[in-house]
Amino acid sequence: MERVHFIGIGGTGLSAIARVLAEQGVSVSGSDRALSPLAQELIASGIPVALGHAAENVTGADLVIRSSAIPDDNPEVLAARARGIPVLKRADFLPRLLKDKRVLAVAGTHGKTTTAAMLAWVLTALGYDPSFIVGSVVHNLGKNAHAGKSDWFVIEADEYDRMFLGINPWVAVVTYMEHDHPDCFPTFEAYREAFEQFVGQIRQGGALLVCGDRPETFELAFSAPEQVQAYSYALHTPAHYRIADASPNAQGGFSGTILFRGSVLARLDLQIPGEHNLANALAAFATTHFLGMNPEEAAKALHDFSGSDRRFQVLGEEKGILVINDYAHHPTEIRSTLAAARARYPRRRIWAVWQPHTYSRTRALFNEFCRAFSDADRVIVTEVYAAREAQEDFSASQVVSQMLHSGAIFLPTLDKVTEYLFQELQPGDVLMVLSAGDADRVCAEVLHHYQNGSAFVSGEKTHD
């Protein structure tokens, strides 16, 4: 490969691959319809990124990699194919990228970004210099991807568009599996079958780690190939790896004692909030334990882990109002995130601003969304962020109308949300913006407003 061009380079998946290739010395270019923060970071590192899609952008490319959101009639896709340039998706390219690497792949409906980030950080802290691709910027490492000098490669194994089927891991972690991405997997059976196929690709002599707290996830252990060791980890059910005496700690996180088959391995003290992150840390720890790494050193590195972007990311506090940005967009994620907020801030009023992500998910999980906000005092729901889907005759107001939460309201636009917040927020409040779309701009506008005493109008943002 002399030059690789990425269509949709500003997304989490492609930006990470682009960074790894660039660090390996490959000539990289890209394009996107908007310059996301990740795209801007690539530009700052010397990678040319074109704003908008045009046929001339692929000139000189030997290979084109496109985002799953890029359609077949994209002008760069058409131009590449007309010139005989191969056009691949992530799943098609990953076998080339991961060839000759010992891959540690983290999959799951929830928790895979944080668990992969933890694992990349622990291996780095222990001196292994792994390559990694994570779906968010890891705060301890300052980026979402890296080409390391060792043969370890930590990768977040995304199930959307069956991307993770391009991976043959040495160790696979499945954090938590329940139905998601109904636009790609119409039924839970189709979703589970994809995970079973992923588990079936683990290399001989490797390992599978599954969360035992959800039976459907635990049952994936039976899909592991022969000569693959299967282990379970759990907080609330019997498992190979367990946490004893889990409890909140003074840092706002959770602590507990790690047990393996009943024997104490280490004490774990996290600074990031939420009991669900204790489970994520246990998965990362169990992976390093299987690999023979020092338990005490791994636990110390997990204590030092400070999180990643848009995962309970505390952005600041102004006039007594704390603003937190979070990527939660599935009912289970919303419940876990709000429970973490309630545990960390038990005496403060919690606001949840939720931007539903895709019509298909909002429809498929309608009833679960209606019940997901019990730990919030006030709830604002915006209109659906369509993302890759076409506009539909469906409104998130229908979800609000079925909520039993007495403090839930529907405000269709982000401008109306910020206007309402400016009027209603009070000192001591915690504002949590839950969005996989563009509602994170609300965080910036609220902070700017209370810093300067006037509303801030941001530029329109779009994402693949």
Side-chain angles (χ1 to χ4, degrees):
M1 295 179 293
E2 294 185 4
R3 181 181 159 216
V4 179
H5 180 78
F6 291 83
I7 312 175
I9 197 170
T12 54
L14 292 200
S15 67
I17 296 175
R19 182 177 292 279
V20 169
L21 289 181
E23 291 187 7
Q24 290 176 344
V26 176
S27 177
V28 170
S29 65
S31 64
D32 216 326
R33 59 179 179 169
L35 296 182
S36 70
L38 289 172
Q40 293 173 26
E41 290 173 11
L42 293 177
I43 293 171
S45 68
I47 295 174
V49 177
L51 179 60
H53 302 302
E56 57 266 24
N57 290 338
V58 304
T59 301
D62 301 290
L63 175 67
V64 170
I65 302 175
R66 63 166 171 161
S67 162
S68 296
I70 300 298
D72 290 339
D73 62 356
N74 176 276
E76 296 181 18
V77 173
L78 294 174
R81 287 176 171 163
R83 300 173 192 178
I85 303 170
V87 179
L88 305 179
K89 290 186 177 181
R90 278 189 295 166
D92 304 315
F93 180 72
L94 284 176
R96 300 190 195 187
L97 183 68
L98 302 176
K99 184 181 178 182
D100 301 324
K101 294 290 187 179
R102 288 192 287 177
V103 178
L104 311 176
V106 183
T109 316
H110 319 298
K112 57 181 173 289
T113 296
T114 298
T115 305
M118 287 175 165
L119 187 55
W121 162 242
V122 172
L123 265 65
T124 301
L126 270 56
Y128 289 94
D129 189 22
S131 299
F132 61 85
I133 287 178
V134 179
S136 178
V137 174
V138 185
H139 293 165
N140 299 76
L141 300 170
K143 49 190 174 181
N144 65 332
H146 170 62
K149 294 182 174 60
S150 74
D151 58 357
W152 294 114
F153 202 125
V154 178
I155 185 167
E156 178 178 336
D158 183 7
E159 73 274 19
Y160 185 75
D161 203 22
R162 293 173 170 80
M163 185 280 290
F164 61 179
L165 299 185
I167 303 172
N168 293 101
W170 172 250
V171 177
V173 177
V174 182
T175 58
Y176 196 98
M177 184 188 65
E178 62 177 332
H179 192 206
D180 197 12
H181 302 301
D183 56 330
C184 187
F185 305 100
T187 65
F188 176 68
E189 289 70 26
Y191 192 74
R192 183 184 59 217
E193 286 172 4
F195 274 85
E196 290 174 348
Q197 189 175 348
F198 166 69
V199 167
Q201 296 179 170
I202 301 172
R203 296 182 178 181
Q204 289 190 353
L208 169 66
L209 288 154
V210 294
C211 180
D213 283 325
R214 186 170 178 84
E216 295 90 341
T217 312
F218 176 78
E219 289 170 3
L220 288 173
F222 300 107
S223 300
E226 292 184 10
Q227 299 182 344
V228 167
Q229 301 176 63
Y231 298 93
S232 59
Y233 68 94
L235 300 184
H236 304 294
T237 57
H240 295 98
Y241 291 90
R242 289 289 314 279
I243 294 283
D245 56 34
S247 60
N249 60 35
Q251 294 178 288
F254 275 73
S255 298
T257 302
I258 301 175
L259 306 177
F260 176 62
R261 290 176 170 158
S263 298
V264 174
L265 291 180
R267 178 72 180 174
L268 186 60
D269 297 288
L270 300 181
Q271 58 177 290
I272 60 172
E275 188 183 62
H276 63 291
N277 279 322
L278 202 60
N280 294 334
L282 181 59
F285 178 95
T287 302
T288 64
H289 183 251
F290 170 76
L291 299 176
M293 298 172 186
N294 184 286
E296 293 293 341
E297 292 178 0
K300 171 62 169 60
L302 287 166
H303 168 268
D304 295 338
F305 179 75
S306 57
S308 60
D309 282 0
R310 299 188 79 173
R311 273 66 179 178
F312 211 100
Q313 184 180 9
V314 177
L315 297 179
E317 185 166 1
E318 293 292 335
K319 303 296 190 293
I321 298 165
L322 186 68
V323 178
I324 298 172
N325 184 19
D326 197 274
Y327 198 69
H329 56 284
H330 185 284
T332 299
E333 295 166 354
I334 291 170
R335 284 194 298 272
S336 296
T337 300
L338 292 176
R342 180 59 65 197
R344 177 170 269 196
Y345 310 111
R347 298 177 182 84
R348 301 180 71 164
R349 186 169 65 158
I350 296 174
W351 288 75
V353 173
W354 170 49
Q355 182 187 50
H357 189 264
T358 72
Y359 294 103
S360 57
R361 179 185 286 112
T362 309
R363 286 178 179 276
L365 304 177
F366 186 100
N367 292 331
E368 291 88 342
F369 279 122
C370 290
R371 299 189 294 266
F373 293 86
S374 59
D375 274 316
D377 298 291
R378 300 287 298 275
V379 180
I380 300 175
V381 181
T382 78
E383 194 51 274
V384 176
Y385 183 81
R388 52 192 170 264
E389 297 180 343
Q391 193 79 21
E392 289 190 20
D393 185 21
F394 173 86
S395 173
S397 62
Q398 296 169 243
V399 182
V400 177
S401 69
Q402 298 301 310
M403 284 183 175
L404 298 179
H405 199 297
S406 60
I409 63 171
F410 172 70
L411 296 174
T413 69
L414 298 183
D415 287 342
K416 289 187 179 297
V417 170
T418 52
E419 181 182 355
Y420 185 83
L421 289 171
F422 295 158
Q423 297 171 356
E424 299 294 328
L425 287 173
Q426 299 175 8
D429 286 353
V430 176
L431 172 63
M432 304 202 64
V433 176
L434 310 171
S435 166
D438 62 352
D440 55 333
R441 66 175 255 206
V442 171
C443 299
E445 292 178 5
V446 168
L447 286 172
H448 190 279
H449 174 79
Y450 287 101
Q451 286 169 349
N452 299 280
S454 60
F456 170 67
V457 179
S458 70
E460 185 176 338
K461 297 169 65 176
T462 59
H463 300 279
D464 282 339

